[in-house]
Amino acid sequence: VLKPLDVKTKFYNAETDEVFLEAQIQNITTSPMFMEKVSLEPSMMYNVAELNTVDTAGESESTFGSRTYLQPMDTRQYLYCLKPKQEFAEKAGVIKGVTVIGKLDIVWKTNLGERGRLQTSQLQRMAPGYGDVRLSLETIPDTVNLEEPFDITCKITNCSERTMDLVLEMCNTNSIHWCGVSGRQLGKLHPSSSLHLALTLLSSVQGLQSVSGLRLTDTFLKRTYEYDDIAQVCVVSSEV
């Protein structure tokens, strides 16, 4: 028996612990088929949001249109966003090691109305490696004024199995300048714990500028972690 569908999956790990799954489904039969349902059943640690509809005049409409026929050898791409549940998201080390995401459930009908169903095995991703210390951005403005200070908020997470004593250093670049005291002590950070930092910068150059120059040093091991190209911000001339 020849299989009717070819299913390929791709995973994208976002900085915010979200996982995006792209499922490519190809009709490899010789006749068109009606795609009745394509859904993702997430694992126990995730909630899933389907990104295969658009809101038109207050109504949800499929991105593939009202007629969801899949012609022979045609491929259709489905997108899903998985967010860790609150009880797991707060544990920094748990989500990092999770590889099982869930399984796809696909239901279709052939041209004579015969129904077919395919359920994949558990889909697994490559778990991202954050190293010992993970730095992520919580808030940053999209657009800022030239030579005017703006604020960002960073989250620092200890992903190792030991306590760290961290010192923050801020290095200026050609376009981005840090406001505040460099070399300040952040104190001890226990395993799987996080802390939030409010930082202030200003840019001396217009255009799309990259936020760089953060350095974290663990005084216990004398090890320095460098963070460049953390994010981009659009700098425009201020209105006078």
Side-chain angles (χ1 to χ4, degrees):
V1 177
L2 299 177
K3 65 176 184 178
L5 295 175
D6 185 40
V7 182
K8 297 177 181 176
T9 56
K10 294 181 181 179
F11 287 104
Y12 306 91
N13 297 308
E15 272 295 318
T16 53
D17 284 331
E18 295 175 340
V19 181
F20 290 89
L21 167 65
E22 176 192 340
Q24 298 181 359
I25 299 176
Q26 183 180 24
N27 176 6
I28 54 177
T29 67
T30 57
S31 59
M33 59 174 58
F34 174 74
M35 304 302 294
E36 188 171 296
K37 184 184 78 167
V38 179
S39 62
L40 178 65
E41 297 178 4
S43 63
M44 60 174 291
M45 290 190 177
Y46 287 97
N47 292 318
V48 64
E50 295 196 16
L51 305 178
N52 305 306
T53 56
V54 290
D55 289 330
T56 306
E59 294 186 1
S60 184
E61 183 179 330
S62 171
T63 54
F64 309 112
S66 57
R67 299 184 182 277
T68 55
Y69 285 99
L70 192 59
Q71 299 298 326
M73 303 312 294
D74 277 2
T75 301
R76 186 173 290 170
Q77 293 164 299
Y78 293 84
L79 185 63
Y80 303 89
C81 176
L82 295 115
K83 295 183 179 181
K85 294 179 179 178
Q86 190 63 35
E87 58 266 32
F88 299 110
E90 295 171 353
K91 301 175 183 178
V94 175
I95 287 297
K96 183 182 70 168
V98 172
T99 57
V100 175
I101 295 300
K103 51 190 177 182
L104 284 169
D105 191 19
I106 307 166
V107 180
W108 70 90
K109 289 180 180 177
T110 61
N111 50 7
L112 293 178
E114 298 165 314
R115 177 175 289 187
R117 183 178 183 183
L118 171 68
Q119 192 172 68
T120 66
S121 56
Q122 287 285 353
L123 303 174
Q124 296 197 349
R125 61 160 180 167
M126 289 290 291
Y130 299 124
D132 291 342
V133 184
R134 180 187 181 192
L135 186 141
S136 57
L137 271 182
E138 297 289 293
T139 59
I140 184 171
D142 295 327
T143 306
V144 299
N145 290 331
L146 183 68
E147 296 181 346
E148 288 186 13
F150 62 94
D151 297 324
I152 66 172
T153 305
C154 296
K155 180 181 179 182
I156 298 171
T157 305
N158 182 355
C159 296
S160 71
E161 297 178 353
R162 55 185 172 79
T163 300
M164 295 182 171
D165 188 20
L166 297 175
V167 175
L168 174 69
E169 296 181 11
M170 301 178 291
C171 307
N172 291 335
T173 62
N174 292 332
S175 58
I176 292 290
H177 308 276
W178 296 91
C179 306
V181 179
S182 182
R184 68 192 233 221
Q185 297 273 350
L186 300 181
K188 291 183 173 60
L189 189 62
H190 297 288
S192 300
S193 299
S194 302
L195 60 88
H196 288 80
L197 277 178
L199 302 171
T200 305
L201 313 86
L202 65 83
S203 177
S204 58
V205 180
Q206 293 187 56
L208 191 64
Q209 302 300 328
S210 179
V211 176
S212 299
L214 279 182
R215 305 289 182 263
L216 290 172
T217 301
D218 180 13
T219 58
F220 287 150
L221 293 183
K222 306 299 183 189
R223 185 178 295 170
T224 300
Y225 305 92
E226 301 181 355
Y227 298 95
D228 294 317
D229 296 324
I230 304 167
Q232 282 74 39
V233 64
C234 183
V235 183
V236 298
S237 60
S238 56
E239 298 177 4
V240 179

